[in-house]
Amino acid sequence: SNDGIYSNQAFSSTHTITITDDDQANSKPSFSLNVPSMSPSQGWVFIGTGSGRSSYSDGNGDALSGVEIVASESGHWFWAPVAGSFNAVGGITLTADDFAQLYVQSNYGGSMSQSFQVRAHDGTEWGDYTTATIKTVAPIKVTLSSSASSIAEDAGSSLTLTATLSSAASEDVTVG
């Protein structure tokens, strides 16, 4: 039986092996989210990709692969197709596809301001956290009163009234 191949001939061979590292050091992605102020009756507001409210960049040109949203306290609610409704307390990671369709709900109960942390993943590593803020601003009731019981004006003359408008919430007051 022939269990192998044997040779009495000497042979020599030289091979050159070149190892090239084509991988560049990854650059962390940069991400920010800018949520507009909302009124209590506004309902759900689109803030996902394509809304113009987020900014993503990556020095290597890596595509967005995920977004993490972390809230320290309950407040506004978010919604995305896969994640469903969530308040982000403790954090939630969305895929790029889920973030693309992200909505936030205004606070129906009145004014509320909530800050939370967001960061992006580029498929290799997470970027740094940035802070985003959501504000629901309720309309402010302003009252104008006058101490005069009646005002009369003679024909051809002018009358100037001066009034001070103020708001108990220390908000800017707009007349118009």
Side-chain angles (χ1 to χ4, degrees), residues 18-174:
T18 304
I19 300 174
T20 304
D21 183 5
D22 289 336
D23 292 336
Q24 300 172 0
N26 189 56
S27 111
K28 290 196 292 188
S30 175
F31 182 78
S32 65
L33 184 62
N34 181 12
V35 182
S37 291
M38 302 176 284
S39 69
S41 62
Q42 198 163 351
W44 292 98
V45 176
F46 177 56
I47 62 171
T49 307
S51 68
R53 304 193 193 292
S54 65
S55 172
Y56 172 81
S57 64
D58 183 85
N60 302 85
D62 297 330
L64 176 69
S65 67
V67 173
E68 182 181 28
I69 302 172
V70 181
S72 60
E73 60 188 13
S74 184
H76 292 85
W77 283 86
F78 300 89
W79 181 90
V82 175
S85 291
F86 60 94
N87 64 12
V89 173
I92 187 167
T93 301
L94 303 174
T95 64
D97 289 342
D98 223 16
F99 175 74
Q101 300 176 64
L102 182 65
Y103 286 79
V104 64
Q105 186 178 37
S106 64
N107 179 39
Y108 288 111
S111 294
M112 175 191 289
S113 180
Q114 178 185 16
S115 292
F116 56 96
Q117 301 292 305
V118 294
R119 66 180 179 165
H121 197 272
D122 66 359
T124 302
E125 69 181 304
W126 286 104
D128 295 330
Y129 284 107
T130 60
T131 300
T133 301
I134 304 172
K135 290 183 181 180
T136 298
V137 181
I140 300 167
K141 182 179 179 182
V142 177
T143 306
L144 173 63
S145 61
S146 170
S147 59
S149 57
S150 66
I151 299 173
E153 176 185 358
D154 293 331
S157 65
S158 63
L159 175 66
T160 302
L161 297 176
T162 303
T164 302
L165 299 176
S166 62
S167 147
S170 299
E171 299 283 337
D172 291 337
V173 177
T174 301

